[in-house]
Amino acid sequence: MRWLRFPGRSIAARLFLTAAALSSAVLMLAGLALTEYYRATAEDVFEQRLEVYLRAIVADVSESGEDGRTGPGQLGDPQFELARSGWYWQITRLDDEKHEIKASRSLFAARLPKLADLHVPAETGGMRRGVAEGPDGRPLRIVERVIDVGDIGVYLVQVAATTEETESQIARFRWSLIVAFSLLAIALALGAAFQVRFGLRPLRLLQGELSTIRRGERARIEGSYPTEIAPLAEELNLMIAANRDIVERSRTQVGNLAHALKTPLSVIINEADAAPSPLAGKVSEQAKVMRDQIAFYLERARAAARAGAIGATTEAAPVVEALLRTFGKIYDERGVAFSGAAPPGARFLGERQDLEEIVGNLLDNAGKWAAREVRLEVALESGAAGRSVLVVTIDDDGPGLAPHLRERAAARGQRLDETKPGSGLGLSIVTELAADYGGSLRLSESPLGGLRARARLPGL
């Protein structure tokens, strides 16, 4: 039953709307039940009043006969005196041809309809009760009874009254109930909102603790939590600790592998260089390729392990300032000026070493090709799902790069110009590192005339 599925993904919204819906349904049912109960009670009281008047007239007729007083004074209600007031009584003699009728002054020349003629069945004791249209077109509730006074005669005694007053009372009660229950519904909704907010507060505190861990401000979840959430907090602490252990073991194994492979490769290259020959040259060339590839994949493994770590954050400004000073000195002889800065408070959601690797490779690549200027800009933007994105943009005034060559330049190990020093892995390392953190690297034309490299990284 697809319509029973609750929309939305918010637990607070689900709890609040469920409580509000149930409260509204209960209040609505209670309101209907109370209204019907009040209606039944009001109508019962109304009919009892009519029956009292009917018994009073029947008693008067039975005791007095034709000469008995059946005027409204005996009923004690001035409504029977007022014209068309809606309250009427009528006595009709049934055992003579004239069918003599006595009636309250409120009827004037009008006459009450007989329920017997309307096929209303008689109750035990001969009384009939029902609703019929009155002289002025208003609905009347009528009670009537036939009495036999022996030789004096047989009479039909009727008392009637309009139902407007009762319906008006019921309507007023209904509206009073609507107002009261509406206020109660609002109070219950506010209470439900407070209850939901108070009940889910430990989850918000847990979210805050996880945020501080993600920012690197804490190493584990602290504080006491309710019985239902405490096991979750403990499991998260165990998971965070296990994650750190995995990262540390990965770093250790990667370092051991690097040391284990570097020495044999260095020996092979040295031996091949010591005895020049076509075979030795090929061995030396391939060994150097192996060394570059091993360096690349070892760095990738380190970066992947660091990217999976929880709680590592790096402030961007100190890293950027240090790298600008370093590369400014390195390329000072060529007259290349490095400028730029990072906004205070901008942080990279990852290891400092990886941010240095990304920005350093981009600055190094720009410095190699720039004529006079390299400009760096760091900005913090809003990304998907409310997450922050650290955008690092580096422009140079070099020769630039044709659009069809930009994708090749970021591919692993591709070199487009062998005249520049280096292994050709700089941009590819940046691409892979950014991808490990869920980011990206995009190359385009720079406003300075050269190449623009823009890295998008997780920020904080």
Side-chain angles (χ1 to χ4, degrees), residues 152-427:
I152 299 176
V154 179
Y155 296 91
L156 173 66
V157 181
Q158 295 176 286
V159 178
T162 178
T163 59
E164 290 180 348
E165 182 180 350
T166 302
E167 293 297 330
S168 177
Q169 291 176 356
I170 295 172
R172 287 196 299 270
F173 177 80
R174 183 187 299 115
W175 280 111
S176 299
L177 209 60
I178 290 173
V179 172
F181 277 21
S182 297
L183 295 175
L184 182 58
I186 294 173
L188 289 175
L190 293 175
F194 173 78
Q195 183 180 12
V196 169
R197 184 171 181 81
F198 180 76
L200 295 181
R201 185 171 179 271
L203 288 178
R204 292 195 297 273
L205 294 177
L206 182 60
Q207 179 187 10
E209 289 288 319
L210 290 174
S211 297
T212 58
I213 293 172
R214 184 170 60 89
R215 293 193 298 267
E217 298 173 6
R218 287 188 182 179
R220 66 192 311 275
I221 297 172
E222 303 291 346
S224 59
Y225 292 90
T227 307
E228 295 81 3
I229 301 178
L232 174 62
E234 186 60 30
E235 290 295 329
L236 287 173
N237 278 332
L238 294 175
M239 186 186 70
I240 293 169
N243 177 269
R244 288 199 177 94
D245 291 341
I246 291 172
V247 171
E248 290 301 323
R249 286 197 299 270
S250 298
R251 287 176 176 173
T252 302
Q253 294 299 328
V254 167
N256 293 339
L257 180 60
H259 287 295
L261 292 176
K262 281 182 179 178
T263 300
L265 283 175
S266 297
V267 172
I268 291 173
I269 293 172
N270 291 336
E271 291 296 328
D273 291 342
S277 68
L279 177 60
K282 179 60 70 176
V283 170
S284 178
E285 175 190 342
Q286 294 302 314
K288 290 176 181 178
V289 171
M290 289 172 62
R291 182 180 60 189
D292 290 341
Q293 296 299 319
I294 288 171
F296 175 79
Y297 280 108
L298 288 176
E299 184 56 36
R300 285 280 290 107
R302 290 193 187 99
R306 292 193 297 266
I310 296 176
T313 60
T314 304
E315 191 171 355
V319 173
V320 168
E321 292 170 3
L323 289 174
L324 287 174
R325 285 196 302 268
T326 299
F327 284 101
K329 293 177 181 178
I330 293 174
Y331 291 96
D332 183 57
E333 294 181 359
R334 289 183 45 220
V336 178
F338 287 77
S339 63
R347 300 177 73 86
F348 166 59
L349 194 58
E351 296 277 353
R352 179 187 181 96
Q353 181 180 346
D354 292 330
L355 183 60
E356 291 175 343
E357 190 81 16
I358 292 170
V359 179
N361 275 294
L362 293 178
L363 287 174
D364 188 31
N365 183 77
K368 290 174 183 178
W369 298 98
R372 290 186 176 278
E373 181 181 5
V374 174
R375 188 182 300 166
L376 179 146
E377 180 184 354
V378 179
L380 201 61
E381 300 179 355
S382 297
R387 297 184 178 274
S388 298
V389 178
L390 190 72
V391 182
V392 180
T393 305
I394 296 177
D395 296 295
D396 65 68
D397 59 350
L401 201 58
H404 68 281
L405 296 177
R406 292 170 189 161
E407 185 175 350
R408 286 182 55 197
R412 178 175 56 83
Q414 291 290 326
R415 296 195 64 182
L416 303 180
D417 192 337
E418 299 291 338
T419 63
K420 299 296 180 182
S423 63
L425 300 176
L427 291 179

